[in-house]
Amino acid sequence: MNIRTHLAVTCSALILCSCEEKQESVLNTEPPTLHVYMWADYVKPELVKQFEHENHCRVVIDTFDSNEAMFAKLKAGATGFDVALPSSYMVKVMKEQEMISQINRSMIPNLVQITSDVANRVHDKMMTHSVPYAVSHTVIAYRKDRLEKVDPTWSALLREDVKGRTTLLNDMRETLGSALKSLGHSINSRDEQHLQQARDVVIQWKKNSAKFDNEGYKTGIDSGEFSLVMGYSGDLFQVVEENDKVGIMVPKEGVTMSCDEFVILREGQNPFLAHQFINFLLDPKIAAENMQWMGYLCPNKGALELVARTFLDHPAIRLPDELKEKVEVIEDLGPDLAKFTKVWDEVKAAR
Amino acid sequence: MKRSGFFTRSVILTVLVFFHLPLMVLVINSFNASRFGGTWEGFTTHWYSDLFRNREVMEAFKRSLVIALWSTPAATLLGTLAAVALHRFHSRLQKVHFLLVQLPLVLPEVLMGFSMLLFFVAMGINLGLTTIWIAHVTFCLSFVTMVMLGRLQDFDFTLLDAARDLGATRWQATTRILLPLLWPGILASALLAFTVSLDDFVITFFVSGPGTTTLPVQIYSMMKTSRSLPIINALSSLLLFGTVITVASIHWLTRPARKL
Amino acid sequence: MANEHPTPPHVSRNEWTVTLPSLGWLLIFVISPTLIILAQSFRPPDLTGAIGSGWTLQNWETWLRQDVQHLALHTLWLSAVTTGFCMMLAIPFGWFMARTSSRGKQVLQLLVIIPFWTNFLIRIFAWKTLLNQDGLMTRAAAFMGLIPAHESLLYNEGAVLLVLIYTQLPFAILPIYAAAEKFDFSLLDAARDLGASHLRSFLEVFLPGIKMGIAAGALMVFVPALGSFLIPEMMGGHDSEMLGSRISQRAFADRNLPEASALASGLVIGVLSATLFIGGGMAWWRQFKRRQA
């Protein structure tokens, strides 16, 4: 009995000691930390390491899978993030809510690299509160080994041979937006009739699909679990790079475009590092390396000259010219968002 | 004693296969060179070395350990006290107390997580390690109490009275007799609390803040990106190994006390 | 709890000292959050995701909507089926465990506890591996001609149920085993001697004898299952949404905390009534027994 008592005391003492040690290291010896809140697989890990090394800091990245989830988390009291990466329409909301602070332009000399075609399409054209980072489209990926001849159209989602093997984005604006596009309407339509038509289209898609999914489709199309998925262009590009059985198709009716932008959060602890981080990723050489890893186009003049031509010509990276006219950016709809929510609920309830 | 019938035996076998087949497949797949584990494509330890090189996993694991190490002592202390109270006293108060202790065990996790989230929002507490710690202490506490209640039932409280009769102070009786005899139980429940804390996903998911990705949250996001799939197999196998060791040691600590 | 020490009246201050820490903690971090969701469910939502001021009943009107009612019924149904299956497996298992040798008991206990202690996400992941289009189960089913080759078994209600049962089964086995351990098996022989069949003595002597264990097991399976949201998300398709998924969707995607609160409060009420129903039944039975004795 005595030996066991002794053992127990030693064990608990050890546990307590290790606690204290951990605490100390958290409080004193830590280098400054930059907290970044972004989408998964959205920056090349080696580049983050390089930044840490150059700036003697630590970068902690947390991920979200939709703008709304990110917003909800920040609203619920997740303070302490320095940099976030919302899509353009969400930047507007966050600005109105006074959640983000003004960009100190003098600390980001690489701002001149941002291409005007993108800057002109986002909400914050003057880049006072946000800096465009990457452009993404909602497109379709499919298994080349399983499907013959996939026409570039949204109605591919209704093909008989993919029944139960497709996924739709669990993102109200993207999925309803794509349906609106397939009908020839604007993705920012506030017309209730348009929305009802779009709802019926999505319900048809839903009946042919396995589930709504925002991240898992990557694994699914890669492993062959799904035959055809709707997803973000860069994510799908990453899959195509590793798996030659997967192809990407851009529907000819047009697609949504969203531009994810860096914002600096008002409640962040480290605005200096936040500016440094943004400037670092806008450096042409870094941006070129980064975009080829993640598969999203960075609107960066210098970088676009550095990347391989073949990369840029991939339809998932830069849309074919004839589609450029048909691309629209998702905008904030203010109170009219409720119309979308209502229709989306009906989609979810339909069986 | 009668032998059990064919039906019972087949149920036992089914349940055991049902329980362990998925876990065994995980372990086997962790050595499978195939990226998706559908077919056997040769033996490899590649995924394990990938795992140890994966910085996010290692950091999440460390963070989970820190949280568990901090939650365990608090939960063990509170839970043991609760068990002693429940065991020794039988007032109306203890009835309420017992109900409250059982609540976190039964309450769906989504409710615990969501209500705590709103509580922290209402109180203006920033989400982060502190909120995770509070949540973990809360549900670990109940597990500790239940284990300790079981242990206390085997404990002969007349020993304490005897010590007091022989002139020991209450403090002496507690530290010299009660605690030493209860140590194995306390250690076992601490281990349980530790494991439960390490394991929690849902509640942590609700109350986590910046930079607090725990191991389960990390596994969750890895399950969605194909590059990491086989790493999860390797990680799972290691965790499974840890579980077996922990379960075995708890089993050893809480086996019925032999006569001295 | 069940022990015979009389409580001398003078210890009441001591009682408070040992009770207060855990009692206070639980009151602050379990009871008051629950009251807070109840209160917030009467607040109007704010378009920006915050909680508005003033009071309203509009969030509770969500329960009048057909799709929410459907969701609630569906959740009840899935939890009930899970409980049923768990009981069907756990009762024979508990019976066998209680009757086997003490060494056998220890081994079986370990074998039940190991999956129970394995990380929840890992258990879900393991089943995803087994049920995807190249998984072991899928191949077996295709081999037996049950499904076409390379057909995934994931993303349907069956997959959700399977994993619900998988994760909840230990919660059913452990209390039932504990009750069966205390059951006096010679009663069965007595019943048999009096001419009862195997089945009849099992149904009329054994089952009533472990009633408490069954009730506790049912409670431990049914109530947590009501709140599942990860399993339907990972294993289910369009038809397997549960109430928990809707709560997290309202909280995280739609930024409507008040409506999420109304849904959660409804779930709390459901959980409480299920607990009171089963717990009340147990208490009634105990009293009934005592009166009989």
Side-chain angles (χ1 to χ4, degrees):
Chain A
M1 187 49 79
N2 235 335
I3 291 173
R4 239 199 298 159
T5 316
H6 189 75
L7 203 89
V9 173
T10 323
C11 280
S12 59
L14 269 176
I15 289 176
L16 288 172
C17 288
S18 58
C19 280
E20 260 161 35
E21 197 184 60
K22 282 278 186 305
Q23 173 68 347
E24 222 172 5
S25 70
V26 168
L27 292 181
N28 298 331
T29 55
E30 287 278 291
T33 305
L34 181 74
H35 285 282
V36 182
Y37 202 20
M38 58 161 48
W39 307 78
D41 291 340
Y42 215 31
V43 61
K44 189 174 179 180
E46 288 76 15
L47 293 174
V48 176
K49 263 185 212 146
Q50 187 186 335
F51 176 77
E52 286 180 326
H53 189 73
E54 286 174 9
N55 292 276
H56 307 290
C57 67
R58 255 165 54 86
V59 177
V60 178
I61 296 177
D62 288 73
T63 60
F64 54 80
D65 72 346
S66 76
N67 280 296
E68 286 72 20
M70 179 243 359
F71 185 83
K73 196 86 200 184
L74 291 178
K75 270 282 168 186
T79 54
F81 288 113
D82 299 292
V83 176
L85 201 59
S87 301
S88 178
Y89 74 95
M90 192 52 84
V91 171
K92 180 176 169 226
V93 181
M94 292 171 81
K95 195 171 139 195
E96 283 163 3
Q97 291 282 306
E98 303 191 334
M99 292 160 78
I100 53 182
S101 48
Q102 211 162 349
I103 303 283
N104 184 342
R105 301 175 71 101
S106 64
M107 288 169 76
I108 309 183
N110 285 331
L111 219 51
V112 295
Q113 297 289 349
I114 304 292
T115 56
S116 54
D117 63 323
V118 167
N120 283 336
R121 299 190 82 156
V122 298
H123 166 70
D124 180 19
K125 296 183 176 54
M126 300 310 294
M127 296 189 271
T128 55
H129 286 78
S130 61
V131 182
Y133 172 62
V135 172
S136 74
H137 303 284
T138 295
V139 297
I140 284 180
Y142 61 97
R143 295 288 298 200
K144 289 193 275 192
D145 55 338
R146 220 175 279 156
L147 304 181
E148 280 171 40
K149 197 169 168 311
V150 178
D151 291 326
T153 160
W154 283 112
S155 55
L157 283 165
L158 296 173
R159 285 170 68 117
E160 200 45 46
D161 55 356
V162 295
K163 193 167 175 58
R165 311 287 296 257
T166 72
T167 67
L168 304 172
L169 280 177
N170 191 12
D171 184 316
M172 179 170 82
R173 296 301 307 275
E174 296 282 1
T175 304
L176 281 174
S178 303
L180 284 165
K181 268 284 160 201
S182 77
L183 291 162
H185 303 313
S186 157
I187 58 169
N188 298 309
S189 173
R190 296 155 196 242
D191 184 327
E192 280 174 37
Q193 224 179 344
H194 289 176
L195 283 171
Q196 275 164 21
Q197 289 169 352
R199 172 198 64 196
D200 295 338
V201 169
V202 178
I203 290 175
Q204 290 306 315
W205 290 352
K206 178 182 164 179
K207 285 186 178 150
N208 207 37
S209 67
K211 66 185 303 187
F212 285 104
D213 190 298
N214 275 356
E215 286 177 338
Y217 64 83
K218 272 177 87 174
T219 325
I221 194 78
D222 196 358
S223 69
E225 207 171 321
F226 302 123
S227 302
L228 192 138
V229 297
M230 176 177 171
Y232 303 112
S233 50
D235 279 2
L236 295 174
F237 181 81
Q238 290 170 20
V239 177
V240 171
E241 287 283 273
E242 297 199 355
N243 189 338
D244 55 13
K245 291 183 186 131
V246 179
I248 290 182
M249 171 267 274
V250 185
K252 61 173 190 290
E253 297 96 333
V255 292
T256 63
M257 162 177 164
S258 54
C259 180
D260 294 317
E261 304 187 67
F262 280 121
V263 295
I264 294 178
L265 292 160
R266 192 159 277 219
E267 306 217 16
Q269 306 290 313
N270 223 325
F272 175 73
L273 268 182
H275 282 90
Q276 296 281 94
F277 186 66
I278 297 172
N279 193 48
F280 173 81
L281 287 175
L282 290 188
D283 178 87
K285 255 179 80 186
I286 304 286
E289 188 181 343
N290 194 23
M291 81 171 111
Q292 292 183 73
W293 180 87
M294 64 175 181
Y296 288 101
L297 187 81
C298 295
N300 189 304
K301 281 177 215 154
L304 288 175
E305 282 164 19
L306 291 173
V307 293
R309 187 86 216 158
T310 48
F311 172 79
L312 286 179
D313 285 344
H314 195 284
I317 304 298
R318 201 158 61 175
L319 294 180
D321 285 336
E322 66 271 20
L323 271 174
K324 282 201 175 135
E325 298 302 306
K326 293 184 178 167
V327 165
E328 269 185 284
V329 180
I330 298 175
E331 287 163 13
D332 177 48
L333 299 173
D336 280 337
L337 187 72
K339 291 181 188 165
F340 270 74
T341 314
K342 178 172 163 279
V343 170
W344 187 242
D345 269 353
E346 288 165 4
V347 167
K348 286 291 182 82
R351 45 198 76 241
Chain B
M1 189 140 281
K2 209 179 60 64
R3 296 190 65 83
S4 320
F6 172 75
F7 173 73
T8 324
R9 283 173 174 272
S10 48
V11 169
I12 307 304
L13 201 70
T14 315
V15 169
L16 290 181
V17 171
F18 180 53
F19 272 153
H20 294 278
L21 179 79
L23 303 178
M24 283 192 285
V25 170
L26 269 191
V27 177
I28 294 170
N29 264 337
S30 74
F31 295 105
N32 186 351
S34 154
R35 254 173 84 213
F36 300 111
T39 42
W40 182 259
E41 288 174 16
F43 179 87
T44 178
T45 51
H46 180 74
W47 310 124
Y48 285 90
S49 51
D50 266 13
L51 173 69
F52 290 116
R53 269 201 307 262
N54 188 314
R55 180 177 127 177
E56 275 111 43
V57 174
M58 289 299 135
E59 280 192 357
F61 182 55
K62 261 190 251 162
R63 200 169 290 126
S64 274
L65 278 183
V66 171
I67 292 168
L69 280 172
W70 276 97
S71 320
T72 304
T76 311
L77 185 68
L78 287 170
T80 308
L81 273 180
V84 169
L86 287 170
H87 186 80
R88 287 232 78 175
F89 307 107
H90 299 96
S91 55
R92 209 162 267 260
L93 175 71
Q94 295 308 327
K95 276 199 180 133
V96 176
H97 190 198
F98 190 53
L99 214 69
L100 279 184
V101 166
Q102 286 174 305
L103 211 53
L105 297 179
V106 182
L107 215 58
E109 284 186 304
V110 75
L111 280 183
M112 285 265 290
F114 180 63
S115 64
M116 281 202 172
L117 172 72
L118 279 202
F119 173 79
F120 294 134
V121 174
M123 296 292 127
I125 301 173
N126 290 340
L127 300 181
L129 285 175
T130 321
T131 51
I132 296 182
W133 177 77
I134 290 175
H136 283 214
V137 170
T138 310
F139 58 73
C140 290
L141 184 166
S142 299
F143 280 97
V144 170
T145 311
M146 296 323 263
V147 174
M148 287 309 293
L149 267 180
R151 291 280 82 197
L152 284 168
Q153 259 162 26
D154 293 345
F155 182 74
D156 185 2
F157 271 86
T158 52
L159 280 177
L160 280 189
D161 298 335
R164 295 296 304 281
D165 287 346
L166 292 172
T169 63
R170 179 170 290 131
W171 175 250
Q172 282 172 330
T174 310
T175 51
R176 303 264 176 90
I177 298 180
L178 187 64
L179 279 183
L181 286 174
L182 284 183
W183 259 121
I186 293 178
L187 207 61
S189 46
L191 273 175
L192 178 61
F194 191 82
T195 317
V196 172
S197 161
L198 216 54
D199 181 49
D200 180 72
F201 170 76
V202 177
I203 299 174
T204 313
F205 180 70
F206 274 91
V207 299
S208 61
T212 51
T213 304
T214 60
L215 190 63
V217 177
Q218 180 68 30
I219 296 176
Y220 176 73
S221 74
M222 275 165 46
M223 278 165 77
K224 297 186 161 180
T225 46
S226 54
R227 298 177 197 207
S228 331
L229 274 187
I231 304 183
I232 307 181
N233 287 327
L235 179 60
S236 308
S237 307
L238 291 180
L239 287 178
L240 198 62
F241 184 66
T243 307
V244 173
I245 302 243
T246 322
V247 171
S249 32
I250 292 187
H251 207 69
W252 180 74
L253 285 164
T254 55
R255 77 210 138 124
R258 254 175 286 151
K259 293 272 173 291
L260 289 170
Chain C
M1 280 287 277
N3 113 321
E4 274 68 45
H5 292 286
T7 312
H10 68 269
V11 290
S12 100
R13 227 187 79 212
N14 280 346
E15 183 175 346
W16 275 111
T17 335
V18 281
T19 311
L20 209 55
S22 53
L23 187 74
W25 184 280
L26 292 165
L27 280 174
I28 296 174
F29 295 118
V30 179
I31 298 303
S32 65
T34 312
L35 295 177
I36 282 176
I37 47 173
L38 199 62
Q40 307 289 40
S41 72
F42 294 103
R43 293 285 196 180
D46 170 339
L47 253 186
T48 60
I51 292 160
S53 52
W55 303 93
T56 173
L57 279 174
Q58 78 176 84
N59 305 306
W60 283 86
E61 281 165 17
T62 184
W63 283 100
L64 299 177
R65 283 173 38 178
Q66 225 184 347
D67 62 312
V68 175
Q69 287 175 357
H70 180 92
L71 204 60
L73 281 179
H74 194 67
T75 305
L76 279 174
W77 161 248
L78 283 176
S79 310
V81 174
T82 305
T83 314
F85 271 106
C86 283
M87 289 300 132
M88 262 160 48
L89 293 171
I91 292 170
F93 200 94
W95 154 288
F96 180 85
M97 230 168 129
R99 300 203 70 173
T100 193
S101 67
S102 91
R103 180 142 196 91
K105 271 178 200 166
Q106 295 218 342
V107 173
L108 283 178
Q109 255 184 30
L110 275 180
L111 287 176
V112 172
I113 289 175
I114 285 169
F116 168 60
W117 274 35
T118 306
N119 188 297
F120 185 61
L121 284 158
I122 287 177
R123 283 182 284 166
I124 297 181
F125 180 70
W127 276 105
K128 282 194 87 144
T129 318
L130 284 180
L131 296 181
N132 72 23
Q133 82 290 345
D134 290 323
L136 200 64
M137 290 301 209
T138 324
R139 279 153 185 263
F143 181 74
M144 289 187 281
L146 298 174
I147 52 163
H150 297 291
E151 176 92 26
S152 167
L153 290 173
L154 286 169
Y155 313 121
N156 56 59
E157 207 168 88
V160 173
L161 268 178
L162 187 78
V163 178
L164 272 175
I165 295 169
Y166 184 73
T167 51
Q168 298 301 103
L169 187 55
F171 289 105
I173 290 180
L174 295 173
I176 287 177
Y177 160 67
E181 261 281 271
K182 299 205 180 87
F183 181 75
D184 179 3
F185 280 90
S186 63
L187 287 177
L188 286 179
D189 298 332
R192 299 279 318 289
D193 289 345
L194 293 174
S197 67
H198 273 295
L199 186 66
R200 211 174 139 199
S201 56
F202 177 80
L203 289 179
E204 291 183 9
V205 181
F206 180 67
L207 285 190
I210 58 160
K211 218 165 187 162
M212 292 302 156
I214 295 180
L219 195 73
M220 294 289 279
V221 172
F222 184 74
V223 175
L226 284 177
S228 334
F229 91 99
L230 205 58
I231 298 176
E233 187 198 315
M234 305 297 272
M235 308 300 295
H238 294 311
D239 61 348
S240 16
E241 202 189 354
M242 288 174 80
L243 218 46
S245 353
R246 187 59 72 89
I247 294 175
S248 74
Q249 185 203 325
R250 283 286 185 265
F252 285 130
D254 306 342
R255 339 167 213 160
N256 191 337
L257 292 181
E259 199 181 314
S261 302
L263 289 168
S265 305
L267 187 55
V268 170
I269 292 169
V271 164
L272 283 184
S273 27
T275 315
L276 287 180
F277 183 73
I278 300 177
M282 275 159 84
W284 177 84
W285 178 255
R286 220 174 274 157
Q287 214 143 48
F288 177 73
K289 275 276 167 183
R290 203 169 297 157
R291 217 168 294 150
Q292 266 192 334

